[in-house]
Amino acid sequence: MIAKLFIGLARLWQWGPSAILPPTCRYTPSCSAYAITAWSRYGAFKGSWLALRRILRCHPWGGSGHDPVPLIENE
Amino acid sequence: MDSSRNMILAIVLSALVLIGWSFLSERIAPTATEPTTEIVEGEQVALPNTDAPGPDTPAEMRELSEVLAESQATRLPIETPRVEGSINLRGARIDDLVLLDYRETIDADSPPIRLLNPEGADAAYFAHFGWAAADIETPNGSTVWQADGESLTPDTPVTLSWRNETGQLFEIVLAIDEDFLFSVDQRISNLGDNPITARSYAQLSRSLPETHAQREPDTWLIHSGPTGFWTEDLNHIDYDDVTAAGSTGERFSITDGWLGFNDKYWLTAIFPAAGTNVEAAFMPLGNERFQAVYSTPETVINAGRAVTRSTSFFAGAKEIILLERYESENGLNQIDLSVDWGWFYWFELPIFYLLHWLFTTIGNFGVAIICLTFIVRGLMFPIAQKQFQSMASMRAVQPKMKEVQERYKDDKQKMQQEVLALYQREKVNPLAGCLPIFLQIPIFYALYKVLMLSVEMRHEPFALWLKDLSAPDPLTPVNLFGLLDFVPPPYLAIGLLPILLGITMYLQFKLNPAQMDPTQQKIFGIMPWVFMVIMAPFAAGLQLYWVTSNILTIAQQKWLYSRDPRLKEQAKATDE
């Protein structure tokens, strides 16, 4: 439920501010796409944690390239 | 086909944003303070004072001057360097107070801001201190008090006294400092023969102005209305909620806190003495009249004894540095929270201090904002440098990228992979990432709140036609810079600064590498003009920040591009 709300907010970000900002993405998928996948896969709490860590990686001295959301391991 | 549909969608969405925004903005994010000037026939004139009673003022409501003149005989003047007014000895009300340092409009001759008004005039607003007791007569609204002085000044406190038939002496010792703080000691001396039970109270009474236009809007981002600090928390209450609470009102108890009526720039608040626990309430009195009141616990006072209760009463402008001094030196716990910074106060306050320091050092608020922009862009310089470097190399490989896009235009996924491969081959540095943007947005938001909220930035000029940076830019080509005699509706009045904002933003976007998606590229072309319209009603200071920031960005970007070897070669090639 909360995860859905977060995903909605991320989509609003994509349609609004993100569409008009100059291109900045170092990674594929972009931070917002990463967050949406993380929330749908891991829920609001862990998803947010993953998204936050991604945003903190996403700076000029961070990594770049392909960086997908980790898959859920089957135990 | 698909792209033209996207285009239409983009235009419709932009239109929706524009229309929806004007509906939402007044509820969520107020755009700027009321315009204080208009431009008539090329001349800038101050807008008239809207606080005068309007035609719909009911008959029983009388002119303020009339009300004050009527009660002249029982008025004791208040004179300090910063406030002026009087106390009505009938009822012991502080009900007449103007703030000498602040004016209604930016016109230097306009009347000073009037905070407190006597009952009978429009927007009655006053403080009153009294007692409740079961078996004895207590002073009431028509009691005429004796004063032991001619006037209340920072050097001459005044004691008001009144004695009832059964021997109880009531005294109110009033003192005022050089700024906006009254201290009020309420003493009851039992000179009768029997013990009495009494409690003292302090109250603020406020009638909302008759005309709705004179009321301050209460918005999500800036609260205006009943406010207080109790149970370790700042509490914002709406006037409507107080009305809905009925005759019991909104009740709570306060220790080391306060309650009062909070406007964007002005505040009246009562503070019980530190450590005492009091019962407090916001009460609806009907007819859009409200009361903020607290009363001390009931006390038994034996014959020959006296009890004193102290209240600090703040009435004035919410100057941040003054509020902080009151908190630390006068023990007015959490008075600084009356400035509605919201969740991000920890980020907004440093911006405020920096801007305030620049302002007091330089003396011009517009120049201070420009300096702030230089500082922010200076801090962002290394990040932006990396960002523009990678943008430069992206622009350099643009011809090759176009080829790739042409070749794989039917397979989006493949296209993206090939573009990434191209970047790697051509050693295009990755872009700066989203963190830099997440750093910029709070700075802009903080500046918005500082410009909206702080009374220090109110009515501050820059240069030329910009006489108030906390209000929108008044100079607009829509009415030929005031030569045509009509005032454009707010959403059409696009000033010169927002137009500059649109132009600089457009130029800056043109320096960015082209988007992979042609539709998105077209949106980029529209966006500066959408922003121009959205930003037009906001404070000119905010627009000034953005324009300066754009110009600095363009300068940095151009300079970097001019040094990029690959772009140099390309430029040479096109010249030949």
Side-chain angles (χ1 to χ4, degrees), chain A residues 13 19-26 28 31 55 58-61 64, chain B residues 383 386-387 430-435 437-438 509 512 515 524 527 531:
Chain A
W13 163 264
I20 55 144
L21 289 167
T24 48
C25 293
R26 304 170 60 84
T28 56
C31 286
I55 288 170
C58 190
H59 58 79
W61 295 273
S64 67
Chain B
I383 295 176
K386 289 206 81 164
Q387 167 90 335
L431 286 160
C434 39
L435 205 60
I437 286 172
F438 286 148
F509 276 4
N512 290 341
Q515 285 296 307
F524 270 96
M527 267 311 153
F531 261 81

Side-chain angles (χ1 to χ4, degrees), chain B residues 296-311:
Chain B
T296 58
E298 243 173 22
T299 318
V300 177
I301 305 152
N302 288 323
R305 295 285 176 139
V307 165
T308 304
R309 301 286 185 201
S310 300
T311 298

Side-chain angles (χ1 to χ4, degrees), chain B residues 475-531:
Chain B
L475 191 65
T476 169
V478 176
N479 59 5
L480 272 185
F481 303 106
L483 291 173
L484 300 181
D485 185 23
F486 90 101
V487 179
Y491 55 88
L492 261 185
I494 298 167
L496 218 52
L497 263 184
I499 291 171
L500 272 178
L501 172 76
I503 293 170
T504 51
M505 199 171 177
Y506 178 78
L507 292 176
Q508 204 263 312
F509 276 4
K510 277 187 71 168
L511 287 177
N512 290 341
Q515 285 296 307
M516 279 162 57
D517 179 357
T519 315
Q520 211 181 349
Q521 187 61 28
K522 278 192 192 132
I523 296 179
F524 270 96
I526 305 172
M527 267 311 153
W529 316 117
V530 174
F531 261 81

Side-chain angles (χ1 to χ4, degrees), chain B residues 423-438:
Chain B
Y423 284 172
Q424 236 147 46
R425 239 188 352 264
E426 298 284 332
K427 298 204 170 54
V428 173
N429 294 320
L431 286 160
C434 39
L435 205 60
I437 286 172
F438 286 148

Side-chain angles (χ1 to χ4, degrees), chain B residues 89-139:
Chain B
L89 296 176
R90 183 182 297 278
R93 287 172 173 182
I94 304 175
D95 63 355
D96 166 27
L97 199 73
V98 295
L99 311 178
L100 298 174
D101 293 337
Y102 298 97
R103 310 226 154 240
E104 295 277 359
T105 73
I106 62 158
D107 193 339
D109 297 330
S110 71
I113 286 286
R114 172 165 277 283
L115 187 64
L116 301 182
N117 288 314
E119 196 164 22
D122 183 30
Y125 192 5
F126 53 86
H128 165 69
F129 304 89
W131 287 265
D135 305 319
I136 56 165
E137 191 194 355
T138 51

